[in-house]
């Protein structure tokens, strides 16, 4: 599904050039659950942004389902992204003014799904994530664990091929964190490919494989048994 080769990303100011990714190469196969780990500043978030087509690399190749997307313009990236990729963030990124139902419905509106079909799909995913009873509540009325359930519901309502998760349990206690990891595991077992950035060795053990980065390069891979 994902193949990146010699990927490079630089951030420049008038005085300093920072190398965020340094000729990084890696692959993620369809149906895998991959964790990306490493110290702060090693390039994890930069990599996730490029994988999610929120940013483009300065050099190198990025094949997504055998399509070269490394230097797509923003319109092409956005079109491919909204039909193929779901995002789960540490800070949930829910819209406070919208109800649970409306937050989850948003990706379907962006992709032009008709109203009746939207209702059916949102209710199905809320039921699956055991958050249907909160459908008319607002994010501020939910616990952290419930908010992350809503965020995951929003990420999967379009049936994406790939979920990118950035520290998905970072703002949760251990009990809610474990629930979120079980949800991601269930989604992966149903065929969704997952790439997760995490600092947590505990969370990383849910994955099939851990890729460890240092200074924008892969330094070690662990296959989980």
């Amino acid at each position: 599904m994902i193949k990146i080769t010699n990927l490079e990303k630089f951030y420049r100011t008038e005085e300093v050039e920072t190398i965020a990714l340094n000729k990084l190469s890696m692959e993620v196969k369809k149906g895998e659950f991959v964790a990306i780990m490493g110290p702060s500043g090693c390039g994890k978030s930069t990599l996730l942004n490029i994988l999610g087509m929120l940013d483009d690399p300065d050099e190198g190749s990025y094949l997504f389902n055998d399509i070269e997307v490394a230097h797509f313009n923003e319109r092409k990236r956005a079109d491919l992204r909204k039909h193929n990729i779901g995002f789960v963030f540490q800070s949930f990124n829910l819209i406070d003014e919208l109800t649970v139902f409306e937050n989850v419905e948003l990706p379907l509106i962006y992709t032009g799904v008709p109203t009746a079909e939207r209702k059916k799909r949102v209710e199905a995913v809320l039921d699956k994530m055991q958050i249907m009873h909160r459908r008319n509540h607002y994010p501020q009325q939910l616990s952290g664990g419930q908010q992350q359930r809503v965020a995951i519901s929003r990420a999967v309502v379009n049936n994406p091929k790939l979920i990118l998760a950035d520290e998905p349990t970072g703002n949760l206690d251990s009990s809610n964190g474990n629930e979120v990891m079980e949800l991601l595991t269930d989604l992966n077992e149903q065929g969704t490919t997952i790439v997760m950035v995490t600092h947590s060795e505990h969370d990383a053990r849910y994955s099939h494989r851990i890729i460890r980065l240092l200074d924008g390069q892969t330094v070690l891979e662990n296959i989980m048994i």
Side-chain angles (χ1 to χ4, degrees):
M1 173 175 279
I2 290 170
K3 182 177 181 180
I4 61 176
T5 307
N6 293 327
L7 214 63
E8 295 185 324
K9 184 66 179 180
F10 309 102
Y11 293 104
R12 298 178 178 90
T13 67
E14 291 183 2
E15 301 174 353
V16 177
E17 178 178 275
T18 301
I19 302 174
L21 298 177
N22 186 10
K23 296 189 180 299
L24 178 66
S25 297
M26 59 174 275
E27 291 188 43
V28 178
K29 292 181 172 58
K30 182 180 178 181
E32 271 198 296
F33 187 161
V34 175
I36 298 173
M37 302 192 73
S40 296
C42 72
K44 301 187 302 296
S45 293
T46 298
L47 174 60
L48 210 66
N49 284 341
I50 290 174
L51 294 181
M53 302 178 208
L54 299 171
D55 200 357
D56 57 346
D58 291 310
E59 299 290 343
S61 169
Y62 172 17
L63 294 177
F64 182 82
N65 283 337
D66 296 322
I67 300 171
E68 178 59 73
V69 300
H71 299 292
F72 267 18
N73 61 34
E74 173 52 31
R75 184 174 180 177
K76 285 185 176 181
R77 291 204 310 264
D79 188 58
L80 196 60
R81 181 172 63 235
K82 68 185 180 183
H83 287 99
N84 291 279
I85 301 174
F87 296 88
V88 179
F89 302 97
Q90 176 178 347
S91 56
F92 316 133
N93 283 14
L94 301 176
I95 299 174
D96 290 340
E97 294 77 19
L98 300 182
T99 65
V100 165
F101 184 97
E102 291 166 340
N103 267 282
V104 176
E105 184 185 29
L106 269 181
L108 300 176
I109 293 174
Y110 293 150
T111 52
V113 176
T115 303
E117 177 66 13
R118 293 203 305 266
K119 183 175 185 292
K120 179 180 176 182
R121 286 167 65 172
V122 172
E123 289 179 347
V125 76
L126 291 178
D127 186 56
K128 181 178 179 180
M129 295 293 170
Q130 299 178 8
I131 198 73
M132 174 68 89
H133 61 296
R134 298 286 193 178
R135 59 172 289 166
N136 294 319
H137 287 70
Y138 291 89
Q140 306 96 314
Q141 298 173 302
L142 307 178
S143 69
Q146 289 171 332
Q147 288 188 62
Q148 196 60 297
R149 282 178 180 269
V150 176
I152 293 173
S153 299
R154 181 185 58 191
V156 303
V157 73
N158 250 340
N159 299 314
K161 298 179 176 66
L162 172 67
I163 288 180
L164 300 176
D166 191 359
E167 300 283 359
T169 67
N171 284 336
L172 304 176
D173 59 32
S174 59
S175 176
N176 282 313
N178 287 338
E179 285 188 14
V180 165
M181 291 310 304
E182 292 291 346
L183 286 172
L184 292 175
T185 299
D186 288 346
L187 289 167
N188 176 246
E189 289 174 351
Q190 293 164 31
T192 305
T193 305
I194 297 177
V195 177
M196 174 182 69
V197 162
T198 182
H199 281 101
S200 168
E201 294 284 352
H202 172 269
D203 289 358
R205 286 196 289 271
Y206 284 87
S207 70
H208 303 152
R209 181 161 55 103
I210 301 174
I211 297 174
R212 298 182 188 272
L213 301 185
L214 182 65
D215 297 332
Q217 295 178 305
T218 302
V219 293
L220 185 65
E221 289 196 26
N222 303 113
I223 307 298
M224 309 306 290
I225 304 300

